[in-house]
Amino acid sequence: MANSPQAKKRARQAEKRRQHNASLRSMVRTSIKKVLAAIDGGNAEEAQTAYVAAVPVIDRMADKGIIHKNKAARHKSRLNAKVKALAA
């Protein structure tokens, strides 16, 4: 348990950052789910639109360090492959 004022402040800051990062991670997951839902629905145009909207969100979170750059690249690659397969 934090006893010094400095340690108490660091604990407060860490909790605030943890909650903020959790909401950002949730936003990434939601955008990915929207693309997958459009793909499952079979609508290629809607899936493409959702993918185009999801890519900047994924990239932004990778730049901030919320998710790893390789994880972001993996998600984008897999989603793009599914969208293209649906359109074909």
Side-chain angles (χ1 to χ4, degrees):
M1 184 64 208
N3 287 322
S4 67
Q6 178 185 11
K8 287 178 183 175
K9 180 179 179 180
R10 295 302 298 171
R12 282 195 311 269
Q13 289 176 328
E15 179 60 20
K16 192 183 294 187
R17 284 195 185 96
R18 185 189 69 79
Q19 289 179 349
H20 185 249
N21 290 343
S23 75
L24 295 178
R25 252 191 313 277
S26 175
M27 186 167 58
V28 171
R29 291 188 192 122
T30 302
S31 63
I32 291 170
K33 284 177 188 173
K34 285 180 183 176
V35 178
L36 294 176
I39 291 168
D40 288 342
N43 189 342
E45 188 176 312
E46 187 180 323
Q48 179 64 31
T49 305
Y51 175 74
V52 169
V55 167
V57 173
I58 295 170
D59 284 335
R60 205 162 44 244
M61 295 312 127
D63 288 341
K64 290 183 177 186
I66 304 299
I67 60 172
H68 196 275
K69 287 182 188 288
N70 290 1
K71 181 174 182 172
R74 184 174 68 240
H75 277 302
K76 291 190 300 182
S77 175
R78 289 179 182 173
L79 289 174
N80 194 30
K82 287 181 181 182
V83 169
K84 284 187 175 182
L86 181 66

